[in-house]
Amino acid sequence: MSEQIDIVEAEEVSTQGKNFKNDMNNLQGIKAMERIIEEGKRQIQTIHAYKTAIGKLIQVRGDADNKKELYHQNLKILSPNIQVMRDLFQFNDIMKQHVVSFVNGFCKSNGLPGPEDCRALGDVLDVVIVLDYLKTWQAGLNNDFAMYRRAIQHVKKDYNMSEDETLRHFLVNPHIINKGLKSALSDDAEGFEKVLSFMAMDCHNKHEKEDKNEKFIRIIVCCIFLMDSLISDPTKFNNMKKNMKFSKVNKLLETNPKVTLYNELPLNVPNYMKSCPQFTKNADCDKGGCIIL
């Protein structure tokens, strides 16, 4: 009986993860964004402080008589870490759905976010860029998951490797949080470039006129990454130009090549912008230097 309980625990999200999912079923708009920010900050702290369980695991010989029991003990050791991974996976899925819905509200009404909308969406995008980096940076996640898959095959008779394939894909692919949000917006939020270009310019203005907070640089970088591929479309490019001065945003990024990402971890802005080739090519478009037009 205890063996089954341990396996079930390893397959479920934590109590905090369940509470987050339940809360999000009843929230929308800014309230939903604020709950995502709250849970996102918890996720950031958890992933940054993550400790691999590899050193605690029992070495299991292939000819061991009690091999199943030893793998069962390893599964119990790994269980809390697997919950961390499932919480992160669930957070990413829920975050995408609600961000697309939030942005779509402005796209469908042909409106732009107000001050409180910008604050909430900006803080969510800040969580996204930090968490995306931390997931890739934290190699212990993949190592522990590989050991979990090895252990559970020996403990759970009906375990099928395909059961965890979606989670494995999420863990092994770098920058899947950013890329997943980019894909979701492209597929389901027609005109989202209007919202994000407005957001990027709003963050530029806040940084220059009000507060030199490095958070605004991170949000700008995230916005540009999310809409970069659309710059090659003349119509969407014009939509962005109506809301954002490319040259001003580019100058701000050039004068802040390295900012704090989280705690001791830096964000190398030029390196990140290598994944935004269309913006780089057209950064001087306000001055007549457009490539695509």
Side-chain angles (χ1 to χ4, degrees):
M1 183 67 179
S2 61
E3 178 178 297
Q4 182 63 28
I5 291 174
D6 289 337
I7 295 173
V8 169
E9 287 177 350
E11 292 179 340
E12 294 181 349
V13 297
S14 68
T15 300
Q16 289 168 301
K18 292 176 183 176
N19 290 339
F20 171 64
K21 183 177 181 179
N22 290 336
D23 290 347
M24 293 306 295
N25 287 331
N26 302 308
L27 295 174
Q28 58 185 350
I30 289 180
K31 291 294 185 182
M33 295 298 101
E34 290 174 342
R35 185 65 177 92
I36 289 172
I37 294 163
E38 179 186 2
E39 176 66 9
K41 289 179 177 179
R42 183 181 79 84
Q43 293 290 333
I44 287 171
Q45 293 173 351
T46 300
I47 300 303
H48 182 261
Y50 184 90
K51 301 296 183 184
T52 179
I54 296 294
K56 301 177 183 178
L57 299 180
I58 302 167
Q59 298 297 316
V60 184
R61 298 196 316 271
D63 59 350
D65 294 333
N66 60 340
K67 183 164 60 176
K68 182 175 181 180
E69 176 58 31
L70 295 177
Y71 275 122
H72 174 254
Q73 292 181 42
N74 281 348
L75 198 60
K76 187 174 182 179
I77 294 169
L78 287 162
S79 181
N81 285 10
I82 302 303
Q83 282 192 337
V84 168
M85 300 172 203
R86 297 196 189 284
D87 277 10
L88 178 60
F89 178 78
Q90 175 186 262
F91 170 80
N92 180 58
D93 191 47
I94 293 173
M95 177 275 296
K96 283 189 297 183
Q97 295 175 31
H98 282 270
V99 169
V100 168
S101 176
F102 189 72
V103 172
N104 246 333
F106 304 108
C107 297
K108 292 179 178 179
S109 67
N110 200 29
L112 292 171
E116 284 302 302
D117 301 313
C118 285
R119 177 196 59 77
L121 181 57
D123 284 347
V124 170
L125 295 182
D126 191 35
V127 164
V128 167
I129 193 170
V130 174
L131 198 53
D132 179 78
Y133 181 93
L134 290 177
K135 187 197 79 71
T136 303
W137 169 77
Q138 189 55 269
L141 295 168
N142 283 317
N143 295 336
D144 284 350
F145 185 71
M147 298 306 295
Y148 161 76
R149 295 246 283 192
R150 178 182 300 178
I152 199 170
Q153 291 176 68
H154 292 274
V155 175
K156 187 178 179 183
K157 293 180 179 179
D158 59 347
Y159 178 73
N160 189 321
M161 293 288 280
S162 64
E163 292 180 23
D164 287 312
E165 189 58 26
T166 305
L167 178 58
R168 186 196 70 81
H169 182 268
F170 172 74
L171 292 171
V172 302
N173 283 282
H175 304 301
I176 197 170
I177 297 177
N178 278 3
K179 291 177 181 177
L181 180 56
K182 181 176 185 176
S183 178
L185 287 167
S186 298
D187 291 343
D188 300 317
E190 177 63 32
F192 77 89
E193 73 280 355
K194 300 175 186 177
V195 177
L196 294 193
S197 56
F198 180 86
M199 285 282 304
M201 198 66 206
D202 181 68
C203 285
H204 167 276
N205 294 339
K206 287 177 178 175
H207 185 276
E208 294 300 278
K209 297 178 181 178
E210 302 174 23
D211 186 357
K212 301 293 183 181
N213 192 329
E214 293 180 326
K215 174 182 74 172
F216 296 127
I217 304 294
R218 297 193 298 267
I219 297 171
I220 290 172
V221 168
C222 189
C223 286
I224 292 172
F225 173 83
L226 294 173
M227 61 184 178
D228 181 72
S229 61
L230 301 183
I231 294 176
S232 59
D233 181 319
T235 300
K236 295 184 179 299
F237 184 51
N238 280 329
N239 287 338
M240 296 179 207
K241 288 172 63 181
K242 291 175 183 177
N243 294 324
M244 181 176 75
K245 296 295 184 182
F246 276 61
S247 58
K248 288 187 177 181
V249 170
N250 186 55
K251 183 178 179 181
L252 179 62
L253 298 182
E254 287 181 340
T255 54
N256 293 272
K258 185 173 288 188
V259 297
T260 300
L261 182 78
Y262 183 73
N263 284 6
E264 79 284 2
L265 298 173
L267 174 66
N268 188 312
V269 175
N271 278 354
Y272 206 99
M273 294 306 295
K274 289 178 182 177
S275 61
C276 307
Q278 295 300 326
F279 176 84
T280 303
K281 290 178 183 177
N282 293 279
D284 292 328
C285 65
D286 312 343
K287 303 176 182 178
C290 293
I291 300 296
I292 68 168
L293 300 181

